[in-house]
Amino acid sequence: MLWILIVGIGFAVTIAIFWLLQWRRDRTYKPTKEKIRRIILSSIDDTIEQDAFDEFSCARIAYNQELDAIREKYNQIVNNPEYIDRVISPERVVPLNEIGKLRLRKLINDLDAVTT
């Protein structure tokens, strides 16, 4: 019976640690509109670095829902097979074709409309 209590406490502590780490991360990733613009533009011209791509595409922007919606649209574009270039080279982080790049350019217009 004691082992059930120990396992339960261990499980609760583990959940609390993960929740705390998620809460902290959500409050530390705060890209500005200009930083997001640079990320989108560097995705268009194939100069985005893997770390910047990973951080932007994976980390939720908790302080501004409009900017997070831009991030979600970005993810929909870069993960859509219709917009992926057929010639994929390992050095390209975001291998978009011209249609995908056009969609990202339109996303910059959506970003301009965001109020911060």
Side-chain angles (χ1 to χ4, degrees):
M1 193 63 150
L2 181 62
W3 68 273
I4 294 175
L5 181 63
I6 293 172
V7 170
I9 291 172
F11 183 72
V13 167
T14 303
I15 295 296
I17 289 172
F18 279 108
W19 179 84
L20 180 65
L21 291 173
Q22 178 71 36
W23 177 82
R24 184 174 180 268
R25 187 198 71 183
D26 284 349
R27 275 134 189 88
T28 57
Y29 183 61
K30 296 183 178 181
T32 63
K33 277 177 62 172
E34 188 52 40
K35 182 175 181 179
I36 293 172
R37 178 187 309 285
R38 286 193 308 267
I39 289 170
I40 294 171
L41 289 172
S42 63
S43 296
I44 292 170
D45 64 15
D46 288 328
T47 59
I48 190 167
E49 296 180 8
Q50 185 70 49
D51 291 342
F53 172 75
D54 288 342
E55 183 177 46
F56 181 65
S57 64
C58 295
R60 195 169 65 88
I61 304 171
Y63 77 99
N64 188 313
Q65 291 178 346
E66 291 177 293
L67 292 179
D68 196 55
I70 295 292
R71 184 188 67 82
E72 288 293 329
K73 289 178 186 177
Y74 174 87
N75 283 335
Q76 290 171 1
I77 294 168
V78 299
N79 292 316
N80 189 330
E82 293 178 28
Y83 305 136
I84 303 296
D85 195 353
R86 295 187 193 279
V87 180
I88 299 175
S89 61
E91 61 271 358
R92 291 178 73 190
V93 176
V94 183
L96 294 175
N97 60 24
E98 289 306 312
I99 298 169
K101 291 178 181 183
L102 179 64
R103 298 275 301 184
L104 285 184
R105 286 185 190 97
K106 290 180 181 178
L107 189 59
I108 291 175
N109 294 334
D110 294 345
L111 179 63
D112 290 338
V114 171
T115 57
T116 55

